Amino acid sequence: MKFYAISKTLSANDLGETGGHQAGILVPKDSKILGYFPTLDSSVKNPRQELSFYEEDDVTKWNFFFIYYNNKFFNGTRNEYRLTWMTKYLRAKNAKVGDIVEFSIIEDGRRYVKIIRENPVDLEDGVIKLSGTWKVINL
């Protein structure tokens, strides 16, 4: 049974299709979204935590890193959260722009990940509009 879930509609940038060199999927500083992830120690430069996610079969496991790139406070420029090491998973699932990646957690702390093959993005004049791509899922 799901306890808490969030989702993100995948963009071309998330999938590495834009040629950018970003590290992982940007996680917004929204308390409801960040509440899904463990708290990281902001007094440490670029704190991170490895998180294990299971597929619905309860056997297949993927390890991602949740990172707070906070080097702005250590003479750098970045101040953002990211979920990294997802490329292998996204490729294995043949994730496409507009697919949804859902992260859930159950009461015992076990985390799950899945791709939902829906395309909820709006098309306007052939252009995909992806604003508001992160969501908290009410359970």
Side-chain angles (χ1 to χ4, degrees):
M1 174 165 72
K2 293 179 188 175
F3 173 65
Y4 188 39
I6 58 175
S7 68
K8 165 110 176 47
T9 303
L10 294 169
S11 68
N13 203 40
D14 295 330
L15 297 170
E17 296 176 2
T18 60
H21 298 286
Q22 75 171 13
I25 294 175
L26 181 69
V27 178
K29 293 178 189 170
D30 176 309
S31 62
K32 291 180 182 177
I33 302 294
L34 286 177
Y36 173 84
F37 298 100
T39 301
L40 299 174
D41 183 356
S42 62
S43 69
V44 174
K45 183 178 177 183
N46 299 335
R48 64 197 67 216
Q49 184 169 343
E50 184 173 11
L51 302 174
S52 294
F53 290 84
Y54 289 86
E55 291 190 31
E56 291 177 309
D57 64 8
D58 280 317
V59 176
T60 308
K61 182 172 85 169
W62 299 90
N63 292 319
F64 307 145
F65 283 88
F66 178 58
I67 304 174
Y68 177 32
Y69 287 107
N70 64 350
N71 65 23
K72 178 178 182 178
F73 306 106
F74 297 87
N75 297 317
T77 60
R78 296 172 73 186
N79 181 22
E80 61 195 26
Y81 292 90
R82 290 199 175 261
L83 195 57
T84 66
W85 286 66
M86 290 191 65
T87 303
K88 188 175 179 181
Y89 170 76
L90 294 170
R91 287 184 181 154
K93 296 300 170 187
N94 196 28
K96 303 289 183 198
V97 171
D99 286 348
I100 297 169
V101 60
E102 180 183 285
F103 305 99
S104 59
I105 189 169
I106 60 175
E107 292 180 68
D108 70 2
R110 190 172 177 120
R111 296 176 188 276
Y112 290 86
V113 63
K114 71 178 178 179
I115 297 290
I116 301 169
R117 301 274 179 215
E118 295 179 17
N119 193 345
V121 296
D122 295 325
L123 285 176
E124 184 177 298
D125 298 324
V127 176
I128 297 174
K129 301 182 95 179
L130 293 171
S131 62
T133 60
W134 276 93
K135 294 181 184 178
V136 174
I137 301 166
N138 294 324
L139 302 174

